[in-house]
Amino acid sequence: MAASVESLGGAWSTVTAGLLPCRGQTKAPPTDAVLKSAIAVLDHHGVTFIIEEWFLDSLQADLRENIGPAFWNHFSSESNGPKQHGADGTLVTAFRELHASLSSYLPSVDVLERLRQEGAKQRLKDKVLLIFKALLFYDIPLKFHGVVKEFYSCAFKACEEELRKKEKASPGEDGPEEEEEDGDEDSLTCGGCEHDKEHCTCTETLTLFHQLNSQLHSLGLLERVCGEAVTAIIHDRIQQHIQNTCQGEFESQFLLPLEKWLNSKVLSWLHLVFKGTPGQTGEREVSAKTQESLDRWQTRLLYFLYQTYGTLRISEMFDIIVEFPDSMSALEDLKVCLEKTDLRQTLVSSLRSAIGRRLLQPGATTSDVLSQYILLVKSLRVLDPTGVLLELVGDRIRHYLRTRDDTVRKIVEGLTEEEGGSDLADELMKGDPISLEEGVEEEGGDPWAWNKWEPDPIDADPSKTSKSRRSPDIISLLISIYGSKELFIKEYQSVLCNRILSFNYDLTRELRNLELLKLRFGESQLGNCEVMLKDVQDSKRVNDLIKSENLMEGVAVSGMIISAQYWPQLKETKLALPPAVQQRFDSYTQAFQTVKASRTLNWLPQMGLVDLDIELKNRRLSVMVNPVVATIIMHFQDKERWTLDELSTAMQVPSSVLRRRITFWQNYGLIRENPPGSYVLLEEGADHHGDVMIDSDEETESATASSQEMREEEMQMFWVYVQGMLTNLDSLPLERIHSMLKMFAMRDNPIEISLPELKAFLDSKVRSQQLLLSGGKYKLPKNR
């Protein structure tokens, strides 16, 4: 029995000595024959099952006490910074020693693998590697990540430099594409290692790179150690390349070249990390799991490429819109990025912010805002034909345009400019907006068109129809800002009236615009405008007839005869003409009565233009001015000095208006104010030859009453009703006043007033002390 125990103990000692590495021991390990004999003894006693458990416990103890501390000690010294990545550097040395330590256990693993019973669920080698990684890398110091990233970053630069050298030695199809990125060929510094070219270390770095990858691969640590660093390096390289190549360039498409660059330069380096150099001894066999991981990595990097490029274009989106249509290539690229990434919300928030910061400012004119909105519509139609992006982004501009008083006028002026003068004029020339609609099945269309239907994006507003979003008609979008065509028709009448009465119009163009507008608004809506243009034609015929019949002599007078009930309300300002001029007007009226029996004229002397030839002592001046300005200078024919009050009484024009008008002649040196309030004619002065046109202030003054002036006049009708209510009922709250106005004032009257508008009107009366507000009720002051 004692001999048996001694034999068992000796066998165990032999097995332990043979399976554990002999680091630092002078005694030679047992031979394979001795080890097999000892294992046979243990097997005879039925205790071989404890060998594997003991081996794994011993391995874990060695990892905790020796291997692990020795490995991490390489990264604990402050002297070993991340820049030490050469032949004696931290990272390569540490993993070389680690690989040697683990390799010393692998023969024993093979011996124990043969002793295992068949049907074991997990290979012993896999279990050893799992323990190895779990104990060694459960807590990684931060410095280690810096060392790994620095090493692979240098290796990536060295790999790029070697590839660049090969392309220069044998230029292929892709050579010219990277010409700008190659840098200065005459530089004395290597682009990879940043050393002098005579002392370039790129080759040594790549050698260490392949050695380290091979060691990590055999340890099963390749992706675990370098995965995060490689991802960060590739991401930085993609961002840098896109920034340097694409920023500010909107006229070319970059996605295909970027994908080609990613596959040829970046992914080839990634394959070097995991597979080694193809066709050489360093090439490694890759498991199906690793290949699957590589495929996923490639997909993620391609996604990151789209995301980075899309983010860059989104940050430049405002400038891209300004450059449209030259930036069409950038928009088409961004459209692909939006389809492959989740950047739609980023685009919406970024563009809304840029619009608010760079466009919707008091310094921007309404025309600029409208032009930018039109470009926004065209640009976003390229990105999203469904119109959802336009709905989300353009809503802010639409709300802002509603707050500007001149928006409607600027839209109408843009529509009626000369062809090519504005985007709106070009849109109007396209004709019937119905023919421009997209995505709507027309009657008699393809009965199988239903299979081309696509739902709206998930961020679409469910309360709005797809048809309204998909319509590309920009004019309809602008009209929908106010939701009413009547407002635009009314403004068009006003614009047309101002053009006609200032004689700044082309009849052929105005007739063409009218016909185009009829296609959008209907003939019945524009009947008044048609009469206005007919009045122009009739006036020309009447003037020609009076001239041909010699019905007038002396100063030529050409009348613009308007049918007042069809024209917008004109400004009612008085003007007393000089007797000689008034006589010519009376002669024209008599001539008109001769041509048009039983009809007469009611003159508006403040409207129109006067062509004057002024002769002074040493100069002659030809000017074209409005009647008020002309009447001023004609009064100086009678006497050379006038006071402002005298001139105001003679012309029946307010002094404030006269003071502003008389500055025209002061600017041209014909009249001087001396002393203040008294004006004198200057017979001698600087010469002014040729025709002089009226200044911009005079030229652009509106002949029609503004919408605000017309609204104030309408509100006076409601004021009469309010006064009557408060006289009879003493005091009333706002809601009661509004309901009574709806019952009595608005029942048979097309003019309406909203509750907020009524409140603003009554509050203005309170401020002017025409009403009192007490306890939420309005009443008239007692001292009325």
Side-chain angles (χ1 to χ4, degrees), residues 597-736:
S598 71
R599 297 180 64 183
T600 189
L601 298 175
N602 181 21
W603 288 94
L604 300 174
Q606 75 278 10
M607 304 290 180
L609 287 176
V610 181
D611 191 359
L612 288 178
D613 289 330
I614 303 174
E615 293 186 5
L616 300 172
K617 286 184 178 180
N618 65 340
R619 50 187 165 155
R620 179 189 178 98
L621 188 66
S622 295
V623 294
M624 187 172 290
V625 294
N626 69 44
V628 176
V629 176
T631 303
I632 291 173
I633 198 64
M634 293 181 72
H635 276 80
F636 281 87
Q637 292 183 108
D638 301 332
K639 62 178 183 177
E640 292 186 356
R641 182 179 295 273
W642 288 81
T643 65
L644 190 64
D645 292 337
E646 290 174 345
L647 202 56
S648 175
T649 302
M651 293 176 56
Q652 298 183 15
V653 174
S655 299
S656 58
V657 176
L658 272 182
R659 184 179 294 277
R660 180 166 60 89
R661 300 291 194 182
I662 208 170
T663 57
F664 176 86
W665 299 117
Q666 289 179 284
N667 292 336
Y668 283 96
L670 268 71
I671 294 177
R672 183 176 63 190
E673 185 177 11
N674 184 24
S678 179
Y679 298 90
V680 60
L681 179 68
L682 300 177
E683 287 282 351
E684 298 181 1
D687 292 336
H688 287 261
H689 299 289
D691 294 337
V692 180
M693 298 304 295
I694 60 176
D695 64 353
S696 59
D697 290 338
E698 306 289 344
E699 187 177 13
T700 58
E701 183 176 352
S702 175
T704 61
S706 66
S707 57
Q708 183 177 358
E709 293 171 341
M710 295 172 62
R711 186 58 175 167
E712 288 176 357
E713 184 175 337
E714 293 171 353
M715 296 295 283
Q716 291 304 315
M717 180 196 70
F718 294 113
W719 174 236
V720 174
Y721 279 93
V722 172
Q723 287 178 306
M725 295 178 200
L726 298 180
T727 300
N728 296 325
L729 301 176
D730 188 42
S731 64
L732 290 172
L734 176 67
E735 292 77 9
R736 180 73 184 281

Side-chain angles (χ1 to χ4, degrees), residues 59 90 112 162 329 500 570 586 620 719 737 764:
L59 172 62
T90 304
L112 293 177
E162 290 297 314
S329 297
I500 294 174
L570 301 178
D586 294 339
R620 179 189 178 98
W719 174 236
I737 295 175
S764 68

Side-chain angles (χ1 to χ4, degrees), residues 133 223 286-296:
K133 290 187 284 187
E223 187 171 357
V286 178
S287 64
K289 184 177 180 181
T290 303
Q291 184 61 48
E292 183 180 351
S293 177
L294 272 175
D295 294 339
R296 288 198 306 269

Side-chain angles (χ1 to χ4, degrees), residues 129-146:
L129 290 176
L130 182 62
I131 294 173
F132 190 80
K133 290 187 284 187
L135 292 179
L136 197 62
F137 291 97
Y138 76 94
D139 186 19
I140 301 177
L142 293 177
K143 195 170 187 178
F144 176 75
H145 293 293

Side-chain angles (χ1 to χ4, degrees), residues 337-350:
C337 293
L338 293 178
E339 292 171 352
K340 295 181 179 292
T341 61
D342 55 349
L343 292 174
R344 283 178 65 95
Q345 188 56 44
T346 304
L347 172 62
V348 171
S349 59
S350 174

Side-chain angles (χ1 to χ4, degrees), residues 725 731-741 754-763 773 776-778:
M725 295 178 200
S731 64
L732 290 172
L734 176 67
E735 292 77 9
R736 180 73 184 281
I737 295 175
H738 187 253
S739 62
M740 292 181 70
L741 286 176
S754 64
L755 188 63
E757 195 176 11
L758 177 62
K759 184 178 186 305
F761 176 70
L762 295 181
D763 288 345
L773 177 61
K777 294 184 177 182
Y778 294 92

Side-chain angles (χ1 to χ4, degrees), residues 161 163-171 182-185 197:
E161 183 64 20
L163 183 59
R164 196 176 292 124
K165 292 177 181 178
K166 291 179 181 179
E167 289 178 350
K168 290 178 182 178
S170 56
D182 288 344
D184 187 3
E185 296 182 4
K197 289 186 177 181

Side-chain angles (χ1 to χ4, degrees), residues 86-104:
D88 298 325
T90 304
L91 190 66
V92 177
T93 303
F95 275 102
R96 184 185 298 120
E97 295 177 0
L98 183 64
H99 183 266
S101 299
L102 181 61
S103 298
S104 63

